[in-house]
C-alpha cells in the first residue's frame, strides 16, 4: 500500500466546475493500493476578500478573530470537494484542522505545525475513505484557530506528508511546475524538470509564489520529495529533490521577483558603534522583517545614510517606530514604494565566476539603476524601480541562457 498526498491550490478549486474536475482527478489517483489524503486551499480570491472585509470592520482587527475569519475559506472548499467526491461515488469526508487536530505554535497569521494526530484519518483511509483536510489552518494549545501565513496550504500538505510518512506529495497548481521565472510575466519562461530544495527555497523566499517558503524549508529538513504539477494539464511537473542541483549545467536556475516591498532611508544618521542595532531592534521586536540593508560610508561629517527594505504593508508602522525611537538621531526619513527586488538563483553560481558582473552589466546596458544589492551563496538580489521589472527579467533571462 502506498500513501499519496494531493494538495490543490486556490485556482484549482476556484469554481464549482473546477472542483468537480478536481474530484475526477482525485478519482484517477485513487486505487485500493494507493491511499490518498487531500489538502485544499480556499477557492481563489476568497482569502483576499476576507482580508478586505476585516479591514473594513476595523483598522486593528483582532488577531485571533483574523485567523478564525481567514481559515473559513478552506472550510468551504473542503466541504464542496468532499461533496463532489461523494457525488461521483467515492467515500469521502472533510476534516477541519481542529478536528484532526493539527496543532500549531507561534504567532497568529504565521503559525507553524508541530504535530498532527493521525489516528482517525488513518482509520478512515484504511476503511477506503478519502479524507479532505483544510490547508492553511491549525489550532494552538490554547485552542484558538491559527493560520500558517499566506500560501500556507502548501505547509499543511508537507506536514501531512511528514507525519503520515507518505510516499508521494503532489502540489497541484495552475501552472505546469516551477519555471525559470513567473510564466505569467514572460512567454520565454521555461519549465524546470528538476530543482534542488536550496534553489526552490531561494526562489520561493524571493517572491516565486509557486510554493510557500516555510513549506519548502519543512520539506527540505524532512527530506520529502515533492512534485509540482498543473491541475489543468496532463504534463509532467517539476520534481524537487534533496540534492544540490547537479542536474543543471546552467549556473542560474531561475529568476524571481517581488512587487510588495518598500525602501526606507534614514538620512544623516549619527554614526557611532551600535547605531544599526538601535535602529533594527525595535523593528524586530515588532515583527517587522528587514530584508536588504545598505549603509553608505560616512564622510568626515560623522553622519551616514542607512537604507533598508521591508514589506510594503509595514511601512506606516515602521516609520512610526523609527520616529518614536529616542535612541537614534537622524535628519530625515524617506520611503519609496515603487521598488521591486529581482533575484537570480542557482546552485551553479558557487562554482562559476563572473555571475555578479554579468548581472550588473546586463542591467546597465538597459539603463536600469540598481539601488540595493544583497547576495548569498546561491543568489544575487538587486532592488530596482518597479517600472523596470519586466525589462530586467527579460534581459536577465536572456543573459543567463534561460530563454
Ligand atoms: P496556488 O493557488 O495553486 O497555491 P499560487 O498562486 O500560490 O497557486 O502559485 C502559483 C503561481 O505562482 C503561478 O500562477 C505563477 O504565476 C506564480 N509563479 C511565480 N513565480 C513562478 C515560477 N518561477 N514558476 C512557476 N510559477 C511561478
Ligand atoms: N487560502 C490561503 C491563502 O490564500 C492559503 C493558500 O492558498 O495556500 O493564502
Ligand atoms: Mg500557493
Amino acid at each position: 500500500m502506498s500513501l499519496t498526498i494531493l494538495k490543490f491550490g486556490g485556482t484549482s478549486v476556484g469554481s464549482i466546475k473546477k472542483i468537480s474536475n478536481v474530484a475526477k482527478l482525485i478519482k484517477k489517483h485513487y486505487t485500493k493500493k494507493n491511499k490518498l489524503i487531500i489538502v485544499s486551499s480556499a477557492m481563489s480570491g476568497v482569502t483576499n476578500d476576507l482580508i478586505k472585509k476585516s479591514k473594513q470592520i476595523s483598522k486593528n482587527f483582532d488577531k485571533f478573530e483574523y485567523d478564525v475569519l481567514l481559515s473559513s475559506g478552506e472550510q468551504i472548499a473542503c466541504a464542496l470537494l468532499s461533496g463532489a467526491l461523494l457525488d461521483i461515488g467515492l467515500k469521502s469526508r472533510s476534516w477541519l484542522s481542529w478536528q484532526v487536530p493539527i496543532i500549531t505554535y507561534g504567532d497568529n497569521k504565521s503559525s507553524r505545525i508541530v504535530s498532527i494526530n493521525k489516528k482517525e484519518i488513518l482509520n478512515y483511509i484504511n476503511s477506503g475513505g478519502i479524507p479532505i483536510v483544510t490547508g492553511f489552518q491549525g489550532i494552538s494549545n490554547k485552542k484558538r484557530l491559527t493560520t500558517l501565513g499566506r500560501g500556507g496550504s502548501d505547509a499543511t500538505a508537507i506536514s501531512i506528508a511528514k507525519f503520515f510518512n507518505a510516499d508521494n506529495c503532489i502540489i497541484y497548481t495552475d501552472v505546469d511546475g516551477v519555471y525559470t521565472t513567473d510564466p505569467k510575466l514572460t512567454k520565454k519562461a521555461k519549465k524546470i524538470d528538476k530543482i534542488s530544495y536550496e534553489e526552490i527555497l531561494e526562489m520561493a523566499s524571493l517572491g516565486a509564489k509557486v510554493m510557500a517558503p516555510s513549506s519548502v524549508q519543512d520539506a527540505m529538513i524532512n527530506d520529502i520529495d515533492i512534485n509540482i504539477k498543473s491541475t489543468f494539464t496532463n504534463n509532467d511537473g517539476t520534481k524537487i529533490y534533496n540534492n544540490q542541483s547537479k542536474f543543471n549545467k546552467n549556473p542560474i536556475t531561475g529568476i524571481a521577483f517581488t512587487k510588495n516591498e518598500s525602501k526606507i532611508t534614514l538620512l544623516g544618521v549619527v554614526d557611532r558603534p551600535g547605531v544599526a542595532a538601535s535602529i533594527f531592534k525595535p523593528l524586530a521586536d515588532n515583527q517587522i522583517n528587514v530584508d536588504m540593508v545598505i549603509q553608505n560610508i560616512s564622510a568626515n561629517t560623522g553622519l551616514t545614510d542607512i537604507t533598508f527594505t521591508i514589506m510594503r504593508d509595514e511601512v506606516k508602522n515602521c516609520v512610526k517606530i523609527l520616529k518614536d525611537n529616542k535612541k537614534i538621531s537622524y535628519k530625515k526619513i524617506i520611503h519609496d514604494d515603487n521598488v521591486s527586488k529581482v533575484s537570480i538563483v542557482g546552485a551553479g553560481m558557487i562554482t562559476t565566476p563572473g555571475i555578479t558582473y554579468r548581472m550588473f552589466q546586463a542591467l546597465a546596458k538597459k539603463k536600469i539603476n540598481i539601488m540595493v544589492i544583497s547576495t548569498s551563496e546561491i543568489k544575487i538580489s538587486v532592488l530596482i524601480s518597479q517600472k523596470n521589472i519586466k525589462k530586467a527579467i527579460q534581459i536577465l533571462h536572456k543573459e543567463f541562457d534561460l530563454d
Side-chain angles (χ1 to χ4, degrees):
M1 188 197 98
S2 61
L3 174 66
T4 300
I5 314 302
L6 306 177
K7 179 257 164 176
F8 294 93
T11 331
S12 305
V13 292
S15 67
I16 296 301
K17 189 155 183 263
K18 285 180 176 167
I19 292 177
S20 300
N21 284 334
V22 164
K24 287 181 200 145
L25 179 58
I26 293 173
K27 193 172 184 177
K28 281 192 197 148
H29 278 277
Y30 179 77
T31 59
K32 278 220 167 86
K33 284 195 182 136
N34 189 31
K35 310 282 183 194
L36 304 174
I37 301 177
I38 314 299
V39 175
S40 182
S41 302
M43 295 168 80
S44 56
V46 168
T47 313
N48 285 346
D49 189 48
L50 293 168
I51 293 174
K52 213 162 109 195
K53 289 195 167 83
S54 74
K55 286 185 178 151
Q56 285 164 352
I57 289 283
S58 161
K59 276 197 188 111
N60 297 308
F61 194 82
D62 180 78
K63 66 178 188 176
F64 294 102
E65 294 312 327
Y66 184 87
D67 282 8
V68 178
L69 178 69
L70 259 61
S71 60
S72 65
E74 271 64 18
Q75 172 166 347
I76 297 169
C78 286
L80 288 171
L81 186 51
S82 191
L85 287 172
L86 288 162
D87 191 59
I88 55 173
L90 292 169
K91 176 176 169 176
S92 176
R93 69 153 276 202
S94 61
W95 258 273
L96 306 184
S97 55
W98 61 268
Q99 293 174 304
V100 178
I102 296 175
I103 311 289
T104 63
Y105 80 100
D107 244 32
N108 287 67
K109 277 191 189 184
S110 56
S111 291
R112 299 289 286 259
I113 295 173
V114 278
S115 74
I116 298 179
N117 189 327
K118 298 194 297 188
K119 205 168 150 228
E120 259 188 43
I121 289 185
L122 275 181
N123 284 342
Y124 191 69
I125 53 181
N126 286 332
S127 74
I130 305 175
I132 317 287
V133 182
T134 48
F136 181 53
Q137 44 163 281
I139 181 171
S140 70
N141 58 7
K142 297 212 169 78
K143 293 213 163 54
R144 301 297 306 245
L145 275 178
T146 55
T147 55
L148 308 175
R150 295 307 307 270
S153 296
D154 295 330
T156 308
I158 300 300
S159 286
I160 290 184
K162 167 174 118 185
F163 284 102
F164 285 82
N165 207 5
D167 302 281
N168 294 302
C169 180
I170 308 177
I171 306 289
Y172 275 108
T173 184
D174 61 344
V175 287
D176 275 345
V178 182
Y179 278 70
T180 47
T181 192
D182 188 344
K184 285 184 186 141
L185 197 108
T186 163
K187 285 204 179 89
K188 299 223 163 116
K190 275 204 310 235
K191 196 189 76 193
I192 304 167
D193 294 334
K194 296 172 178 179
I195 189 168
S196 69
Y197 286 122
E198 287 80 2
E199 288 169 319
I200 182 82
L201 182 58
E202 287 284 7
M203 297 261 299
S205 315
L206 295 167
K209 71 173 187 160
V210 65
M211 261 196 91
S214 66
S215 60
V216 180
Q217 212 174 23
D218 256 10
M220 183 160 126
I221 294 167
N222 295 290
D223 203 5
I224 294 162
D225 285 351
I226 307 166
N227 213 333
I228 302 184
K229 290 182 82 156
S230 167
T231 311
F232 309 116
T233 69
N234 235 338
N235 302 342
D236 284 341
T238 299
K239 283 190 184 343
I240 307 178
Y241 280 110
N242 197 4
N243 195 338
Q244 280 277 347
S245 180
K246 298 196 180 73
F247 331 109
N248 213 330
K249 50 183 186 330
N250 203 330
I252 302 304
T253 306
I255 302 172
F257 60 92
T258 59
K259 283 185 181 166
N260 51 1
E261 287 184 87
S262 286
K263 176 174 72 115
I264 298 205
T265 304
L266 285 170
L267 291 169
V269 181
V270 177
D271 193 14
R272 54 174 170 72
V275 66
S278 308
I279 292 171
F280 293 120
K281 181 171 185 299
L283 301 184
D285 291 344
N286 284 280
Q287 257 91 46
I288 295 178
N289 207 1
V290 173
D291 180 18
M292 307 168 97
V293 182
I294 187 168
Q295 178 173 0
N296 293 350
I297 298 166
S298 7
N300 294 333
T301 55
L303 298 179
T304 181
D305 301 334
I306 294 182
T307 297
F308 57 92
T309 61
I310 56 168
M311 298 304 278
R312 196 163 300 156
D313 56 5
E314 305 274 26
V315 168
K316 247 192 188 163
N317 194 12
C318 178
V319 170
K320 184 176 181 310
I321 293 166
L322 291 169
K323 285 187 174 162
D324 291 347
N325 188 342
K326 299 277 177 294
K327 290 198 176 146
I328 52 173
S329 113
Y330 54 86
K331 289 203 169 129
K332 202 173 169 192
I333 301 179
I334 47 175
H335 68 89
D336 181 352
D337 293 343
N338 297 309
V339 292
S340 275
K341 183 174 62 176
V342 174
S343 310
I344 56 172
V345 175
M349 205 182 274
I350 303 171
T351 48
T352 317
I355 300 291
T356 317
Y357 163 76
R358 279 171 66 188
M359 181 182 197
F360 296 171
Q361 177 76 3
L363 294 172
K365 263 194 207 152
K366 290 280 167 192
K367 303 208 166 15
I368 297 173
N369 185 39
I370 299 172
M371 302 171 191
V372 189
I373 302 162
S374 78
T375 62
S376 81
E377 246 190 335
I378 65 163
K379 66 110 192 191
I380 305 167
S381 301
V382 293
L383 196 72
I384 61 171
S385 169
Q386 191 157 325
K387 68 175 195 295
N388 287 328
I389 190 151
K390 198 162 178 181
K391 202 161 64 170
I393 285 168
Q394 282 167 346
I395 186 74
L396 293 172
H397 208 261
K398 188 156 179 240
E399 171 65 31
F400 292 106
D401 306 321
L402 299 171
D403 275 3

